[in-house]
Amino acid sequence: MTGLDSVRASVIIAIRRCLDITTFQRSSSSQRSTAQGREGAGHGDERGRPGRDRDRSRYCGDDAARFATYGEGHCHTVTSVMTGFLYPFSELLGLDLQYREDTGGHHQWLDVVMRPSMVGLVVDLYRADGFAKAHKGHDGHHLLTTPTDEHYAGADASSSDYPCLKPRPLSGKPVVLSALEDGDVEDAPA
C-alpha cells in the first residue's frame, strides 16, 4: 500500500471512530442475560465469540442520524451508516465504494477501491466490532481496512466472507459496470 493509500485507510478508521454505533454483539449480553435471569442466554459460543443481544436504549428506528450518534444494529445497519458518512468524502479521497453482501444474504460489508492505485480494502464494521468485544484491549480496526486480496484469499462462494457476484438492486434498477476512463488506473512502475 502506498503512503497515500495508508493515509486514506487512516481516514476510514477516523470516520468510524466518529460514529457512536455498535453491533448487537458489542453489548454486555452475558452480564445482561444473567441479570435478567436467562442463565446461559447471550453468553457467546463455544469459540468465545460474544453473544448477540440488543441494548433497547440504543434503538433508533429508521433514523440514520440517531444510529450514528448512539445506535446499535446488525451488519446491514452499521455498513449502511458507515457508507452514508464515508460517501461524501469518496470523490475527494479517490474512493470507489461497493456495498457487498454474501451469497446467502446473511452478511454485508463495504469494499473500497482507492484510485489511481486500485488497491482494495474490505471495511467490515460488524466483524471489527465483534473482534473488539472478544479481545479486550484491541479495537478491531485492522478489520476496517483489510486488503481485499488478504480478505478473500481462500474464500469461495459458499463462504460468508465472499461477495455475491450478482449485486442486489437497491433502487429497482440493475447495477452495471462503467468503462474505465483515462486516468482511472495508475501505470505500474517499470
Side-chain angles (χ1 to χ4, degrees):
M1 196 176 329
T2 68
L4 177 58
D5 291 342
S6 294
V7 170
R8 292 190 272 198
S10 297
V11 170
I12 292 170
I13 292 170
I15 290 172
R16 169 60 183 105
R17 285 184 173 146
C18 291
L19 302 176
D20 182 16
I21 187 168
T22 62
T23 63
F24 301 140
Q25 63 192 346
R26 184 96 165 127
S27 62
S28 302
S29 59
S30 61
Q31 295 166 359
R32 194 165 44 250
S33 296
T34 302
Q36 293 171 350
R38 296 187 325 221
E39 196 63 44
H43 280 264
D45 65 12
E46 66 284 351
R47 294 192 299 194
R49 293 179 297 198
R52 291 177 175 86
D53 197 9
R54 295 182 181 183
D55 179 351
R56 300 292 180 196
S57 69
R58 295 183 79 110
Y59 178 73
C60 299
D62 290 333
D63 189 332
R66 288 180 59 204
F67 271 116
T69 56
Y70 190 67
E72 181 178 62
H74 46 73
C75 54
H76 173 79
T77 305
V78 296
T79 300
S80 297
V81 171
M82 180 67 174
T83 302
F85 281 85
L86 190 55
Y87 183 76
F89 300 101
S90 63
E91 186 174 349
L92 174 69
L93 295 171
L95 305 177
D96 292 336
L97 306 180
Q98 300 170 328
Y99 187 89
R100 294 293 196 188
E101 179 176 63
D102 70 0
T103 54
H106 305 292
H107 184 62
Q108 293 83 26
W109 64 93
L110 281 177
D111 274 354
V112 176
V113 177
M114 300 180 282
R115 291 181 184 262
S117 69
M118 302 308 285
V119 169
L121 300 174
V122 171
V123 180
D124 193 337
L125 277 71
Y126 192 79
R127 294 221 168 107
D129 214 35
F131 183 89
K133 181 65 177 172
H135 300 90
K136 300 286 188 213
H138 297 285
D139 58 15
H141 285 153
H142 66 284
L143 293 173
L144 291 178
T145 56
T146 306
T148 53
D149 55 347
E150 179 184 319
H151 180 82
Y152 295 128
D156 62 24
S158 66
S159 167
S160 66
D161 288 332
Y162 195 79
C164 181
L165 299 177
K166 183 176 180 186
R168 175 188 293 185
L170 301 176
S171 64
K173 297 179 182 177
V175 177
V176 295
L177 299 176
S178 297
L180 289 175
E181 297 177 6
D182 288 338
D184 282 347
V185 179
E186 188 176 81
D187 291 330

